[in-house]
Amino acid sequence: MFGVKDLGKKILEFKWQGNLSDFITALAWSDNGKILAASTGNGDVVLWQSNKLYTLQTGSGESIDCLKFSFDGKYLAAGGQQGILKIWRISSPAEIEKTPPHSFNYSPAWIDRLAWSPKRNHLAFSTGRQVQILDVENSLNSGQASLLTTLNFQSSTVLDLAWHPKQDFIAVCGYQGTKIWNAKDWQDDPYILSIPSATNHITWSPNGQYLAAANQDNTLTLLEWGNPHPWVMRGFSGKLRALAWSSKNSPTGAPLLAAASAFSISVWEKQKDESIGWQAWLLDVHQGFVSATSFQPDTFLLATAAEDGQVCIWEKAKQLGQLLEGDNSFTCLQWDKQGNQLAAGGNEGQLTIWSKSLRGKGFG
């Protein structure tokens, strides 16, 4: 069970907690915030709705590593260690529970990254050094994988991928940086953001203006889409383990970026003076490695989770407003799209949901 440290405000309150069979690897909220999907290192896939868990898949000892709903909420896709892509049609959780998923086998490749197009039901997923782009509706109707293309990253195993939130581009990263393909012409050469090491994690800002890249040499690269001269931030105390953009712009006209490194989170804000670029402040409360960061949609309220078993809620991404304490390390964290609920997963399988307090003050 977890505790709530009294800091004078109650921004979130406990809503529900359950336990899965192994550490939680991924979380995904449905678009309306009514369904939460979770997966584990043992291979379980479950849905939570109205304080009840529904089991879509019982673990067999091989992990499910990535899990996401499609942009229109019609499908849930999952991939993992077995190299099998599974897709469920979304109806009520009780009905989904009774229906086997559609499966596409890519073993022995390990599917540990996937992303849906924000415009149509096209799904990108990694298979070693390649990314497959699947037309999901054609695939489910025919019963066979209908691939639009295969992107060859070449330099290494694909470490992360992300669709541009508004335009037809997909970014794929690994050794020597990031390649960005145009979905309108898959045969065209990709744009290349070169990095002298490897890029482990990438994320677009919600408005699509910026791409943040966490690099293995403990640097952070920020690319403004359309500007060939990225910013490179240095001086982090260790590997960048999590990135999160706010969907709201600061007064300078750009979103905030939270980057977790070791026990700290740095929050980056673009300055009006272009010669200064981006400046950061540190958030130092956690006593263990920070594993996840997430901004509440349309606000600057920042949630961070760490191996110290704590979830910190930062008002205006600056001041600690509430401390949620658990019994074990946290592995992942995610707000629903309405910003009314926050879910966190732990290394002992604990799945916890908090909701916005009706008495809460200081949101934003």
Side-chain angles (χ1 to χ4, degrees), residues 102-285:
H102 297 268
S103 297
F104 303 97
N105 194 339
Y106 288 87
S107 62
W110 188 323
I111 301 173
D112 56 2
R113 293 287 185 276
L114 61 78
W116 289 91
S117 163
K119 296 181 175 181
R120 51 190 70 89
N121 283 316
H122 294 171
L123 179 67
F125 56 97
S126 63
T127 53
R129 292 173 179 259
Q130 297 178 329
V131 171
Q132 314 293 334
I133 309 292
L134 187 74
D135 183 324
V136 170
E137 291 184 346
N138 281 344
S139 299
L140 300 194
N141 290 335
S142 67
Q144 296 183 333
S146 176
L147 290 177
L148 297 170
T149 193
T150 296
L151 306 176
N152 192 347
F153 189 74
Q154 292 184 323
S155 305
S156 71
T157 297
V158 171
L159 299 179
D160 201 3
L161 53 89
W163 288 90
H164 190 285
K166 297 184 181 297
Q167 300 178 29
D168 290 313
F169 297 99
I170 184 167
V172 180
C173 70
Y175 179 58
Q176 293 185 330
T178 300
K179 297 179 181 179
I180 302 173
W181 275 272
N182 186 344
K184 290 183 177 177
D185 184 1
W186 293 117
Q187 304 308 313
D188 196 8
D189 292 336
Y191 174 89
I192 297 177
L193 176 61
S194 295
I195 302 295
S197 61
T199 297
N200 298 319
H201 181 52
I202 50 175
T203 180
W204 293 96
S205 60
N207 63 8
Q209 187 174 1
Y210 300 99
L211 177 73
N215 307 314
Q216 203 162 17
D217 59 2
N218 299 346
T219 63
L220 169 66
T221 302
L222 280 182
L223 175 71
E224 184 173 15
W225 192 227
N227 182 344
H229 305 293
W231 295 272
V232 180
M233 289 75 156
R234 297 180 172 83
F236 296 96
S237 54
K239 174 184 175 183
L240 287 162
R241 299 163 67 93
L243 300 173
W245 288 99
S246 68
S247 58
K248 181 180 178 181
N249 284 351
S250 77
T252 62
L256 300 180
L257 174 66
S261 174
F263 294 7
S264 300
I265 305 102
S266 55
V267 180
W268 295 85
E269 182 178 32
K270 190 173 185 295
Q271 304 301 299
K272 288 183 179 178
D273 185 343
E274 290 288 336
S275 66
I276 297 175
W278 295 71
Q279 289 191 327
W281 59 87
L282 283 181
L283 305 178
D284 275 324
V285 168

